[in-house]
Structure formats: C-alpha cells, structure tokens
C-alpha cells in the first residue's frame, strides 16, 4: 500500500504542491513500516495508516497556513491606518471646538466627560462583552495575562514602599500605562494581518478580561483613593472650623477645646466606613456592572443558543457606537484646556512610552513562559501587551483627577508610535523563532 501525498492533498496551486513535496515524502511504503510481526492483522494496519496519513497532512497544512498568514503587506498596514485615522479626526474636532472655535465652556467640557464616562463607555463595554464566547477561550493565555499583571503590581508596591520617589497615586498611573491597552481599535486589524484569526480571537479575549477584571479593579482603586481624600478633606475642614471656634472662646473654654482639636487631628477615617462609601459609589456607577452583565449574557446566550433580541441590540448600539468617537473627542477637549500640547512634558512622555512598550511586554513574556505558552500564542501574547494605551484609562483618570495629562499623552503619541514598534516586535519574534 502506498500513500501519495500529491493525491491525498489535491493541491490547488503550484506553491501548495511544492510546500507539500518539501514537507513529506513523495511516497511512503506503509508495508515496510508495518513489517513487524506484531502488526499481522490488516484490521490493525488500516487505522494506523489513516492516522499516519492524517498527521502528515495536518502538519503540511499547518505549515502552508503559517507561510500564508505571516505576509504583512501594504494593504494590511493600510487597514490599521484606516482604523486609527478616524480616532485622530475625532480628537482634532474636540480640540478645535474649544481651542479654535470656543464652542464649549469648561463646565460644558466636564459635562461631556461625564456623558462619556457614565453612558457611552458602559454601553460600549457591554456591547462587545456580550458577544464573546466564554466557552471557547484560551485559559492559559488568560492565566499568563493575570501573572503579568501581578508581576507589575508587586514591582509597583515594592517601588512605592521602598523608593523615596515612589507613591500610591503614581503606582496607579504606572499600572494603567504598563498593562491597559487599546486592543479593539488597533489590535484587531494588526494582529489579524500578523497571525490570522488566532490573533483576533486572543485580542478580543484580552479586551473582555481587561474590561471585566482589570478596569473594574482600577475603578475600585480610584474610587477608594478619591473617597479617602474627600474624607480627609472633610475632617480638615472640620478641624479648621473647630480651631476658629477656639479662637473666639474664653481661656477656660480654650483648654477644653484644645482636647477636641487634638482628638480631631489624631483621628483617621476607619477603613470600614471608607469601604462602605466606596461600594455604594461603585454600585451606582454603570461601568462597574456593564461588563459583568455583558459576560453573564454571553454565558446564557452561548449555553442555550439564545440570540440577543433586536430591540435590545438596537437600544445598546445606538449609544455604544459612539463610545470610541466621543472618548477621543473628549480627549481633544482635554488637550485644548491645557497650556501645552504635550501636557505632561517630554520626561513623563518618555516614561509612559517605556512602561507601555517595554515594561508591559516584558511582564507578559514572563507570564507566558511561566504557564508554558509557545508558538503563535506566545508571540500574540507579547505583541498585544505592546498595543497603545487604553482610552478608557484616560476617561477614568480625568473623572477622578489623577494624572489625566500623562494618560492623554500616552494615548495620542502611543498610537502614533505603536505601528512601527509593533511591526518591530513582530519581526524580532519571527527571527527568534
């Protein structure tokens, strides 16, 4: 019995046939392979032959597909540019509406930010989360992503505790810069050109986990910081008013009130009372449960094959489609309100780029190797960690007043620098392979 690879595959092109001929023998004498006395039964030979033939042909098919999917041409670059240019158009319009045309006042700009933060962004998050298939996810990839985030958190905690330049607020911003990416806008077209459908699937999975887990944790930390700051400010105001009362009272009363003032100055808000306020605020924030409701619906719809009702789909889409556009428009408004175009200055811009394009991928490489990722999944994991800064992280930073200038610069200049950097990562990883 002879298996001819040419006849088994039926190549449709000369390139496929040449690749086929290169990867397997032109003919294989199975009788020679099965000449051992242990395989005298023809009933045993046929399954082994079929299995052997199927394995050879599967390997050849995979090699051909790999060669085809790793061809990045100008058309693929153009697709990425097509996805990115509209974002800059929205940013320029937002910038011009304040800087050149004076359409919006500062109060109106703040109202636009809240519109994005509490309406379009949550619906956008719900819309893409609800369409994921949670039963068909690469859990090793997700585990690698989690490990990379934990590595960065450990480093930042150590930096905040042991370094004189370290601080809790900057640790939050550094975490955002090194871990949170704009996967859907830039990642999907670019990774599709590089690695085909597997790249798209992993990027979408990464976006969903980011929305469900990491952005929710970021929101919690920002709310905790703001609540604690507000509580301390309230206590300081109370202390000032009490001191004023002391200054107007008699000497006898002064001694009594000194004890009151001393008590106020040494009292700190209890952790439990602060946490109650935080959970209450998070419960009223639609960003908290938008991703959770979305993933619950994804489980239900995929488990029992239920389609989203068209009336529900339309109600969500009418606002969610504006999510990215209004977020970039809002970023342009923010830039227009600053004195400089690069609001945070060159040193912090370079700092943000290093965290985004070096620290993030390095941590992801550690996580991926730790769980045993290899091949294209490993390469996609590293490249997607170097995608531009998450737009959502800027919206949160502006809403909670924490280094919004740094994050806006990271989003704008990160998208400009991302294309050559990501192609460079791709070339290096392919060379090492």
């Amino acid at each position: 019995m002879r298996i001819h690879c040419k006849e088994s595959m039926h190549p449709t092109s000369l390139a496929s046939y040449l690749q086929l001929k290169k990867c397997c023998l032109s003919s294989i004498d199975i009788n020679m392979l099965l000449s051992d006395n242990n395989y005298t039964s023809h009933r045993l030979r046929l399954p082994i032959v079929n299995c052997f033939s199927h394995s050879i042909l599967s390997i050849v098919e995979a090699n051909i597909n790999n060669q085809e999917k790793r061809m990045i041409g100008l058309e693929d670059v153009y697709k990425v540019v097509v996805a990115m240019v509209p974002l800059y158009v929205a940013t320029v319009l937002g910038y011009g509406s304040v800087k050149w045309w004076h359409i919006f006042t500062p109060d109106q700009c703040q109202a636009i930010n809240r519109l994005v933060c509490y309406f379009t962004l949550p619906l956008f998050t719900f819309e893409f989360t609800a369409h994921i298939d949670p039963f068909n996810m690469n859990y090793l990839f997700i585990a690698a992503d989690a490990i990379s985030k934990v590595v960065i958190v450990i480093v930042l905690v150590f930096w905040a505790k042991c370094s004189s330049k370290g601080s809790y607020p900057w640790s939050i911003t550094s975490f955002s810069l090194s871990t949170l990416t704009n996967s859907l806008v830039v990642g999907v077209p670019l990774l599709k050109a590089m690695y085909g459908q597997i790249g798209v699937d992993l990027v979408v999975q990464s976006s969903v986990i980011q929305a469900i887990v990491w952005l929710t944790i970021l929101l919690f930390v920002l709310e905790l910081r703001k609540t604690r700051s507000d509580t301390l400010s309230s206590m300081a105001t109370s202390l000032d008013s009490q001191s004023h009362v002391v200054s107007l009272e008699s000497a006898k009363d002064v001694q009594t009130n000194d004890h009151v003032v001393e008590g106020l100055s040494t009292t700190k808000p209890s952790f439990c009372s602060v946490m109650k306020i935080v959970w209450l605020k998070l419960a009223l924030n639609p960003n908290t449960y938008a991703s959770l409701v979305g993933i619950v619906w994804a489980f239900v719809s995929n488990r029992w094959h239920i389609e989203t009702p068209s009336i529900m789909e339309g109600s969500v889409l009418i606002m969610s489609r504006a999510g990215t556009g209004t977020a970039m428009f809002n970023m342009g408004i923010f830039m227009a309100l600053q004195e400089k175009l690069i609001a945070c200055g060159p040193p912090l811009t370079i700092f943000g780029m290093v965290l985004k394009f070096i620290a993030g991928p390095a941590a992801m490489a550690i996580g991926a190797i730790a769980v045993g990722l290899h091949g294209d999944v490993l390469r996609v994991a590293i490249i997607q960690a170097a995608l531009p800064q998450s737009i959502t992280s800027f919206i949160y930073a502006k809403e909670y007043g924490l280094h919004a200038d740094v994050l806006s610069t990271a989003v704008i200049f990160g998208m400009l620098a991302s294309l050559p950097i990501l192609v460079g990562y791709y070339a290096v990883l392919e060379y090492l392979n």
Side-chain angles (χ1 to χ4, degrees):
M1 179 186 297
R2 291 179 181 273
I3 298 178
H4 297 280
C5 295
K6 179 180 178 182
E7 295 175 359
S8 301
M9 280 290 289
H10 297 291
T12 57
S13 65
L14 179 60
S16 299
Y17 173 67
L18 292 176
Q19 181 68 19
L20 192 69
K21 191 172 182 179
K22 179 181 177 181
C23 295
C24 67
L25 299 175
S26 58
S27 64
I28 302 172
D29 193 343
I30 300 300
N31 287 326
M32 293 178 62
L33 297 175
L34 302 179
S35 60
D36 196 307
N37 293 331
N38 292 330
Y39 299 103
T40 56
S41 171
H42 291 285
R43 292 182 179 179
L44 291 176
R45 292 183 185 181
L46 185 58
I48 294 174
V49 170
N50 290 338
C51 180
F52 183 80
S53 174
H54 179 72
S55 299
I56 289 289
L57 299 179
S58 297
I59 293 172
V60 173
E61 252 183 343
N63 288 334
I64 294 172
N65 290 335
N66 287 340
Q67 292 295 328
E68 291 176 352
K69 74 184 178 183
R70 292 179 181 173
M71 298 293 291
I72 300 180
L74 292 177
E75 183 180 356
D76 299 317
V77 176
Y78 177 73
K79 290 178 181 178
V80 178
V81 173
V82 166
M84 294 172 63
V85 167
L87 301 179
Y88 286 101
V89 171
T91 304
V92 170
L93 289 174
Y95 183 88
S97 66
V98 175
K99 199 76 169 180
W100 304 326
W101 308 313
H102 307 289
I103 296 174
F104 301 114
T105 65
D107 289 340
Q108 291 170 336
C109 294
Q110 182 62 26
I112 292 173
N113 184 73
R114 297 183 75 85
L115 168 69
V116 175
C117 187
Y118 293 106
F119 288 94
T120 61
L121 199 58
L123 289 169
F124 174 77
T125 302
F126 170 80
E127 197 273 329
F128 81 80
T129 305
H131 289 86
I132 192 71
D133 183 0
F135 299 103
N136 189 27
M137 300 181 76
N138 190 321
Y139 291 103
L140 278 180
F141 170 77
I142 295 172
D145 181 66
I147 292 173
S148 71
K149 303 290 195 296
V150 171
V151 168
I152 289 175
V153 168
I154 292 173
V155 171
L156 291 175
V157 169
F158 182 80
W159 173 67
K161 292 288 186 181
C162 302
S163 174
S164 59
K165 296 183 179 180
S167 67
Y168 176 60
W170 273 109
S171 295
I172 299 174
T173 301
S174 298
F175 177 82
S176 297
L177 288 169
S178 54
T179 62
L180 303 179
T181 63
N182 185 2
S183 302
L184 295 179
V185 176
V186 180
V188 168
L190 189 61
L191 271 298
K192 183 177 183 181
M194 290 179 175
Y195 297 102
Q197 189 59 39
I198 185 176
V200 175
D201 293 341
L202 292 176
V203 165
V204 172
Q205 291 174 28
S206 173
S207 299
V208 171
I209 297 302
Q210 177 174 284
I212 296 173
V213 180
W214 306 114
L215 285 174
T216 302
I217 291 176
L218 175 64
L219 190 64
F220 170 80
V221 173
L222 289 172
E223 191 64 68
L224 177 62
R225 172 186 171 273
K226 185 174 185 296
T227 301
R228 190 169 182 81
S229 177
D230 291 345
T231 304
L232 290 174
S233 298
S234 176
M235 293 183 66
T237 303
S238 177
L239 180 64
D240 290 340
S241 63
Q242 192 68 271
S243 300
H244 181 67
V245 171
V246 167
S247 64
L248 297 177
E249 303 222 348
S250 62
K252 181 179 178 181
D253 292 333
V254 166
Q255 184 177 5
T256 303
N257 283 289
D258 279 343
H259 293 292
V260 175
V261 172
E262 183 180 356
L264 282 170
S265 63
T266 57
T267 302
K268 293 183 179 180
S270 67
F271 183 75
C272 292
S273 63
V274 173
M275 286 302 298
K276 288 179 181 179
I277 299 173
V278 171
W279 286 118
L280 179 61
K281 289 184 177 181
L282 288 177
L284 298 175
N285 192 325
N287 290 286
T288 305
Y289 46 83
S291 56
L292 296 177
V293 174
I295 198 64
V296 168
W297 176 254
F299 271 104
V300 171
S301 61
N302 284 278
R303 174 63 180 85
W304 288 284
H305 307 288
I306 302 173
E307 292 187 2
T308 305
S310 58
I311 189 171
M312 174 182 170
E313 186 82 10
S315 300
V316 172
L317 286 176
I318 196 169
M319 290 295 288
S320 68
R321 285 173 176 169
T324 304
T326 53
M328 294 302 292
F329 185 87
N330 185 44
M331 188 177 301
I333 288 176
F334 175 80
M335 293 174 65
L337 293 173
Q338 310 305 308
E339 294 182 0
K340 301 177 181 178
L341 183 62
I342 304 179
C344 63
L348 285 177
T349 300
I350 295 172
F351 174 72
M353 295 299 102
V354 169
L355 288 178
K356 170 51 57 186
F357 296 118
I358 297 178
M364 189 65 199
I366 294 172
I369 294 172
V371 300
L373 295 184
H374 55 84
D376 284 350
V377 178
L378 171 62
R379 289 184 279 275
V380 170
I382 295 174
I383 291 176
Q384 65 85 30
L387 289 171
Q389 183 64 31
S390 165
I391 301 173
T392 306
S393 65
F394 160 75
I395 299 297
Y396 287 174
K398 185 179 178 184
E399 178 65 21
Y400 288 92
L402 183 63
H403 304 142
D405 54 346
V406 177
L407 288 166
S408 68
T409 305
V411 172
I412 295 296
F413 290 94
M415 283 195 290
L416 288 173
S418 64
L419 187 56
I421 291 175
L422 293 171
V423 172
Y425 266 112
Y426 171 79
V428 170
L429 292 171
E430 288 301 314
Y431 175 78
L432 292 177
N433 181 48

